[in-house]
Amino acid sequence: MKIRFGSLFAFFLLWVSVPIFAQNTQGVQLRTVVIDSGHGGKDPGSVAPGGKTLEKHIALSVALKFGKLIENAYPNVKVLYTRKTDIFLSLASRADFANKNHADLFISIHVNSNDKSAPAGSETYVMGKDNSESSLAVSKKENSVIVFEDDYKTTYQGFDPTNPESYIIFNLLQNAHFEQSVQFAEKVQKAFGKSPITTNRGVKQAGFLVLWRSSMPAVLVELGFISNTADRTVLTSDDGQNKMATALFNAFKEYQSGVDKLPSPISSVKEESKPVQKTDSIEAPPTPPSPPTPPTPNTSTETFSVQILAISRLLQTNAPEFKGYTDIRHKKEGTLYKYSTGSFATKEEAQTYCNKVRKDYPQAFVVKQ
Ligand SMILES: [Zn+2]
């Protein structure tokens, strides 16, 4: 299919304009979780050799078990499911459902597959741009289910899930909830270490249509490989599914406790061990606001600042992405440029400034310089 970049771009702008529910991260609790079972109905997802074991059934089963654990342990957390039965849903409707319900976390559950039987293990994706072949292959596979949707050519305005060129558009986009999505994804992968599927394929990025439209921290979990005998044995047994659901629940528990304590940014920065790329932004620069003026930088050895942005591209300090802020510094970690503003002698002062900055950058948090 020939890509029509004009309309495709307009389509993504439309998506970007989905209101991002500004998070008041002070004292906010995780109130609503949407658990999305991948595929369903006429879309079986991955199919095991022999054709009998289908991803859609495993995903649903683990999703329901996972949700039940949250419901039992956290009566105050609303757990919503995109599907509880074997029905077909469009990718767009899944994210819409989470947005409409003002979810604080979106977890899409899937099972991987490969032409070869050797690949095994779990991986968790956040919305982003990854140059690796394997991540592109997974996102192509998961996005390709839009062909089951009757009017996908209209809905997705010419997005061709099989054409790598379609994915270039993801370079231009920035997920406002990237950092929190990565935090949750890392907890999921850590928790899977104690599950029967111990091969950790890590936290990755790719352009997933189902994640893109969500306006909250969102991950897509590939529990294991349906094409691998050992993984499949775990994923098709009641005991194995319970253990995978428990691992997801443990990640949720840890994330929940962190969210309760937000802002707790410094510890989260320490946890960030692996370099992750962030996609660039097409957010139209708003009329430059009058950013809060940071106090004069001090000269003590330990200082704190407020991280506002992390992307894979080096920006000029007067770039529109900085929305008129002038006191911008950056440091490079892995493939990611992390931009911060302000310089403070104490964490408390930095936090006060951070609270002001959040009106422009809801995801801002305090970091040690
Ligand atoms: Zn899937």
Side-chain angles (χ1 to χ4, degrees):
M1 184 192 305
K2 181 103 176 75
I3 300 288
R4 292 168 296 133
F5 268 103
S7 60
L8 190 60
F9 191 71
F11 161 64
F12 275 95
L13 277 177
L14 195 70
W15 267 19
V16 169
S17 70
V18 169
I20 306 263
F21 301 111
Q23 290 184 319
N24 171 10
T25 45
Q26 282 191 300
V28 142
Q29 300 211 349
L30 217 159
R31 294 191 192 88
T32 305
V33 182
V34 167
I35 302 178
D36 174 48
S37 309
H39 314 278
K42 62 187 171 185
D43 166 17
S46 300
V47 179
K52 283 190 186 146
T53 307
L54 309 178
E55 174 183 2
K56 66 173 183 176
H57 295 315
I58 297 170
L60 179 61
S61 188
V62 173
L64 294 176
K65 288 172 187 290
F66 170 40
K68 197 82 205 154
L69 291 170
I70 301 176
E71 287 168 20
N72 291 342
Y74 295 93
N76 295 329
V77 174
K78 198 198 279 183
V79 182
L80 300 173
Y81 305 84
T82 52
R83 67 180 181 97
K84 286 181 121 174
T85 55
D86 185 19
I87 54 164
F88 178 77
L89 295 169
S90 72
L91 291 184
S93 72
R94 295 167 191 260
D96 286 350
F97 175 77
N99 293 342
K100 269 188 214 131
N101 284 289
H102 299 245
D104 302 302
L105 184 62
F106 179 82
I107 305 153
S108 189
I109 297 178
H110 292 257
V111 180
N112 223 331
S113 71
N114 196 284
D115 293 339
K116 300 191 179 78
S117 62
S122 64
E123 54 196 26
T124 300
Y125 283 88
V126 301
M127 177 67 205
K129 172 71 177 73
D130 189 332
N131 294 317
S132 80
E133 281 288 313
S134 62
S135 291
L136 183 62
V138 173
S139 57
K140 268 186 189 173
K141 182 160 57 71
E142 298 293 4
N143 290 335
S144 69
V145 301
I146 61 174
V147 301
F148 287 103
E149 298 176 29
D150 292 336
D151 53 353
Y152 78 93
K153 284 182 184 168
T154 315
T155 307
Y156 303 96
Q157 301 249 348
F159 182 90
D160 178 357
T162 63
N163 186 340
E165 280 182 47
S166 277
Y167 290 77
I168 292 168
I169 198 78
F170 290 118
N171 286 346
L172 303 170
L173 303 171
Q174 176 185 334
N175 187 327
H177 302 277
F178 180 82
E179 301 265 356
Q180 283 170 295
S181 302
V182 170
Q183 278 177 28
F184 181 69
E186 288 182 344
K187 293 182 195 315
V188 169
Q189 284 307 119
K190 191 178 125 201
F192 280 152
K194 290 181 182 156
S195 81
I197 295 181
T198 51
T199 303
N200 183 347
R201 299 170 65 92
V203 174
K204 301 181 176 182
Q205 293 182 54
F208 288 98
L209 292 172
V210 70
L211 294 186
W212 175 249
R213 198 162 177 171
S214 59
S215 56
M216 71 287 304
V219 302
L220 185 145
V221 179
E222 298 280 359
L223 297 168
F225 281 75
I226 207 166
S227 42
N228 175 270
T229 310
D231 280 9
R232 189 169 64 248
T233 303
V234 172
L235 293 171
T236 50
S237 76
D238 193 50
D239 180 54
Q241 290 178 355
N242 281 332
K243 284 176 175 155
M244 296 311 285
T246 301
L248 286 167
F249 174 67
N250 288 337
F252 173 85
K253 224 164 41 176
E254 205 181 310
Y255 182 74
Q256 159 80 13
S257 64
V259 169
D260 278 346
K261 283 193 225 117
L262 271 178
S264 59
I266 289 181
S267 60
S268 71
V269 169
K270 279 181 186 159
E271 282 171 20
E272 201 172 43
S273 53
K274 44 178 94 64
V276 277
Q277 290 178 309
K278 182 152 191 170
T279 54
D280 297 343
S281 171
I282 57 162
E283 277 179 16
T287 314
S290 308
T293 312
T296 314
N298 69 76
T299 53
S300 73
T301 49
E302 187 169 76
T303 57
F304 298 86
S305 65
V306 176
Q307 184 174 316
I308 55 172
L309 200 62
I311 60 175
S312 57
R313 184 158 61 96
L314 182 60
L315 297 170
Q316 300 294 318
T317 52
N318 61 353
E321 283 85 347
F322 298 128
K323 305 181 181 181
Y325 285 72
T326 52
D327 180 27
I328 300 290
R329 284 173 307 284
H330 77 267
K331 62 177 176 182
K332 189 162 189 260
E333 283 184 21
T335 54
L336 203 61
Y337 292 91
K338 296 185 170 184
Y339 298 91
S340 59
T341 179
S343 183
F344 304 90
T346 67
K347 187 182 166 191
E348 289 68 32
E349 285 176 81
Q351 190 58 59
T352 303
Y353 181 56
C354 180
N355 295 342
K356 293 178 190 160
V357 168
R358 281 192 178 142
K359 77 174 163 50
D360 297 314
Y361 297 94
Q363 303 287 305
F365 56 88
V366 174
V367 291
K368 272 185 196 170
Q369 277 186 302

